[in-house]
Amino acid sequence: MSRNARVRIKGLYGLPKMRTPVTPLVIDTVAAFFRRHNGRALALTGAGVSVPSGIPDYRGTNGTYRVHGSYRPILHHELVTQHESRQRYWARSFFGIRPAFKAEPNEIHYSFAKLEAMGYLAGLITQNVDGLHTRAGSRNVLELHGTLKSVRCLGCGHEESRDTFQHRLEELNPGWVEFNNALAHSSEKPVRRPDGDIELPSNLRYEDFVYPTCERCHVGHFMPTVVFFGGNVDDAVRTRSHEMVEAADALFVCGTSLSTFSAYRLVRQAREKGKDVLIANFGETRGDGDASAKLEAPAEELLPPVVESLEHGSSDSSLLVP
């Protein structure tokens, strides 16, 4: 078996079979979930939270894996060991990172920030690497899979901002800068992929793309400070995520199918500790069987009215049932 075959990439789960109507009763019941746990609820979010901000996801209703079945992301070991894979990654990211950084927080991000500010949410663990929860005002945020905002040398560990690294790429690839400028004024826009990736025209040659080595050690190559497929969550981050779940009384899972084990094991931990687990996701998730209750509803329809209900003090003693 090849190394690639041992890395499970897609992990697709079922599309929604039914939709939970976001009725006043449902809104009040979710609000009651947060009241009941009195500031000791923890949120776990995924790509579905950032889709309304224009950031593509992998596994949602219109996710890259569903719409473009042949798409294959670069794996961790490929980026670490293969020059050609680094050329492919940085060439595509060269075009895709600016649009990704232009994304703005949406009403879901702002709702989570309000829940924390109002004292209903102890913190938030996100699988997203876009930084939008922090930009929306959330304070106690753990980025489980890292951030696209910086890069790290694989040799000496030196870090620099992704924006600084982008300027270095531009200096080394002036012809690609010209093409990018022409692309920006073209009526034909390339297809965006998750995590700052972009589908480039077939006539572009990755082998013409130049990427820099580390300015500190002069030999190391860079990779984004994110967890790629086949990579591992940093030990300190993994430990912190388990500590956050341990300290919480309940877990609110939102906008994720929980396909990655790094996220799913937190749901399993919460269930094994007897904590209340509420999942709100439009589609099947890996953790449905571990949840106290499941809502098949888009977060952008559910969370803003829940926050409004909490702000105005309305309540309902109903309990969600699986």
Side-chain angles (χ1 to χ4, degrees):
M1 180 183 293
S2 70
R3 186 171 184 178
N4 288 359
R6 292 198 298 269
V7 179
R8 185 188 184 195
I9 298 177
K10 293 189 178 180
L12 291 175
Y13 289 87
L15 293 171
K17 295 183 176 64
M18 60 178 293
R19 189 186 189 98
T20 304
V22 182
T23 63
L25 177 61
V26 168
I27 293 167
D28 285 346
T29 304
V30 176
F33 168 88
F34 287 106
R35 287 195 187 92
R36 185 164 66 250
H37 296 292
N38 195 29
R40 294 178 63 85
L42 176 70
L44 173 62
T45 71
V49 165
S50 291
V51 168
S53 292
I55 297 177
D57 65 350
Y58 286 108
R59 303 175 179 87
T61 305
N62 297 305
T64 295
Y65 288 153
R66 297 190 190 276
V67 179
H68 305 281
S70 61
Y71 176 77
R72 179 182 175 279
I74 291 177
L75 305 182
H76 174 85
H77 78 274
E78 294 173 336
L79 194 63
V80 169
T81 63
Q82 299 173 8
H83 168 64
E84 294 80 7
S85 293
R86 287 193 289 269
Q87 284 183 304
R88 175 180 180 266
Y89 175 81
W90 288 121
R92 293 166 69 102
S93 178
F94 179 82
F95 293 96
I97 200 66
R98 296 295 192 202
F101 284 171
K102 289 180 181 178
E104 296 290 336
N106 62 61
E107 56 188 346
I108 309 171
H109 300 109
Y110 288 117
S111 293
F112 277 115
K114 288 180 181 178
L115 285 171
E116 183 184 23
M118 294 163 63
Y120 290 109
L121 200 63
L124 184 149
I125 300 172
T126 184
Q127 300 167 76
N128 300 338
V129 296
D130 51 44
L132 293 182
H133 278 299
T134 300
R135 286 178 58 191
S138 290
R139 298 173 65 86
N140 186 19
V141 178
L142 180 68
E143 294 174 314
L144 189 64
H145 295 154
T147 174
L148 282 173
K149 297 293 184 181
S150 58
V151 296
R152 179 184 296 118
C153 174
L154 293 168
C156 68
H158 170 65
E159 289 192 16
E160 64 182 54
S161 74
R162 181 62 180 82
D163 190 60
T164 297
F165 191 76
Q166 183 73 8
H167 289 306
R168 296 176 65 193
L169 291 175
E170 291 170 352
E171 291 173 356
L172 292 171
N173 298 276
W176 291 68
V177 174
E178 293 179 6
F179 182 79
N180 192 28
N181 292 336
L183 201 63
H185 295 91
S186 172
S187 59
E188 296 185 9
K189 302 300 181 184
V191 177
R192 291 179 60 191
R193 304 298 190 200
D195 301 333
D197 189 22
I198 204 165
E199 195 70 39
L200 291 178
S202 58
N203 62 328
L204 283 184
R205 292 164 49 88
Y206 295 126
E207 55 265 37
D208 294 334
F209 195 83
V210 181
Y211 57 85
T213 53
C214 178
E215 290 184 323
R216 177 170 293 181
C217 70
H218 306 292
V219 293
H221 299 294
F222 284 94
M223 71 177 296
T225 51
V226 300
V227 179
F228 281 74
F229 289 98
N232 296 315
V233 173
D234 181 81
D235 287 344
V237 173
R238 181 172 59 251
T239 298
R240 179 60 183 148
S241 69
H242 287 297
E243 290 173 346
M244 292 174 74
V245 173
E246 185 69 26
D249 286 347
L251 187 63
F252 178 65
V253 181
C254 185
T256 173
S257 63
L258 298 169
S259 294
T260 62
F261 186 70
S262 55
Y264 171 62
R265 65 184 167 198
L266 300 177
V267 174
R268 192 173 67 177
Q269 176 190 352
R271 181 209 60 185
E272 290 173 350
K273 295 291 185 177
K275 301 177 188 291
D276 200 0
V277 178
L278 172 58
I279 295 179
N281 187 66
F282 196 45
E284 181 185 2
T285 85
R286 189 177 186 176
D288 284 357
D290 300 287
S292 309
K294 167 74 181 297
L295 293 170
E296 291 275 356
E300 63 268 29
E301 296 180 11
L302 179 66
L303 277 184
V306 166
V307 170
E308 184 178 1
S309 174
L310 290 167
E311 286 177 328
H312 290 86
S314 60
S315 63
D316 190 278
S317 59
S318 303
L319 295 178
L320 285 168
V321 294

